[in-house]
Amino acid sequence: MELPRTPSLRLDGRRALVTGAGRGIGLACAAALAQAGAHVVLAARTTSEIDEVAGSIRRDGGTAESITLDITDINAATDAIAGLEAFDILVNNAGTNRPVTFLDVTVEDFDYVVGLNLRAAFFVAQTVARRMVESGKRGSIINVSSDMGLVGGPNRTVYCSTKHGMEGMTKAMAIDLGPHGVRVNTICPTFIETPLARRFLANEAVRSWVLGRIKLGRIGQVEDLMGAVVFLASDASSLMTGSAMVVDGGWAAD
Ligand SMILES: NC(=O)c1ccc[n+]([C@@H]2O[C@H](COP(=O)([O-])OP(=O)(O)OC[C@H]3O[C@@H](n4cnc5c(N)ncnc54)[C@H](OP(=O)(O)O)[C@@H]3O)[C@@H](O)[C@H]2O)c1
């Protein structure tokens, strides 16, 4: 008998855009996609960081280029992205957090976090999706959400608003883009040791709260997300859209 074959996890010949690729989770996603054969375009505001990552990917045998973008400058960023050759893969990753209790959230904090995590992510995805549809690419959009997109957390009303919003946006995008063959999913990581999270984890009370919630008893590392991003980008997940891939060590299990 002819056995069914596992669909390929290779991404040779595909083009990927990764926002926030200068450090942390975005850097690891860019490396993972390049190691799977994709040509990766790295976007962030700090040119020196994305240039360094692109150089390391090339030295490692991959292909990569960088583009300096502030994605909260919606018109400039979307014009720049629309001017590039269409992408097969988007990792919509740039995001931030300003943890503060609900009673103390300012309008400035709210606008800053929503402006990046939701507003900018929405229009980056729209621009990339338009080009995918125009060029007939059956692409994969991966929105980097959080376990805080599934549950609440202390000092995280604004962050949870953005990540729950991203979960809803993903499901609704999947409905609109499904007929075009474009898939949209989220990755929901727990706390991952990155420059952003290290700032919070330096606080012993936060670290022990986090370790108490992660059933596997350890903080995540960026490597924990690399298989998930390649899977969602590849043909191995070709019937998956409107879903969340939860990589949270069991945080949201109870
Ligand atoms: N780390 C965690 O524990 C964790 C857990 C769950 C979800 N997440 C999510 O994962 C994503 C990445 O987090 P991270 O921890 O890797 O963050 P990070 O270490 O702070 O890195 C963020 C990246 O985004 C870029 N960025 C920030 N503002 C930008 C802007 N306006 N335009 C373009 N790029 C911008 C940064 O570069 P520049 O500053 O140079 O622009 C940097 O490359 C976020 O969406 C976050 O919510 C993180």
Side-chain angles (χ1 to χ4, degrees), residues 19-27 43-47 49-50 69-73 92-97 112 116-117 144-148 159 163 166 187-197 199 201 222:
T19 65
R23 51 185 189 268
I25 291 170
L27 186 167
R45 293 169 301 178
T46 310
T47 307
E49 288 189 351
I50 46 179
L69 284 182
D70 178 348
I71 62 165
T72 62
D73 186 350
N92 205 6
N93 163 77
T96 196
N97 190 9
Y112 180 76
L116 178 59
N117 292 12
V144 180
S145 175
S146 170
D147 51 7
M148 296 294 154
Y159 189 72
K163 296 303 187 181
M166 182 172 250
I187 292 185
C188 297
T190 187
F191 278 79
I192 305 288
E193 295 252 16
T194 66
L196 175 68
R199 291 209 310 266
L201 294 167
V222 292

Side-chain angles (χ1 to χ4, degrees), residues 15 22 31 36 39 63 69 80 84 105 132 135 140-141 145 151 163 168 171 177 197 205 218 237 243 251:
R15 285 171 51 76
H39 175 77
T63 67
L69 284 182
L84 301 172
V105 172
M132 283 175 174
S135 59
S140 173
I141 295 176
S145 175
V151 298
K163 296 303 187 181
K171 291 176 187 148
L177 296 175
R218 67 174 177 85
S237 61
S243 290
W251 182 295

Side-chain angles (χ1 to χ4, degrees), residues 12 19 35 42 57 63 83 102 104 124 139 184 198-199 206 252:
D12 304 283
T19 65
Q35 286 160 23
L42 311 138
I57 288 175
T63 67
F102 176 59
D104 293 340
V124 167
V184 194
R198 266 182 221 117
R199 291 209 310 266
V206 171

Side-chain angles (χ1 to χ4, degrees), residues 75-98:
N75 289 334
T78 55
D79 281 355
I81 294 167
L84 301 172
E85 196 185 318
F87 291 99
D88 304 276
I89 300 157
L90 167 65
V91 181
N92 205 6
N93 163 77
T96 196
N97 190 9
R98 281 187 182 176

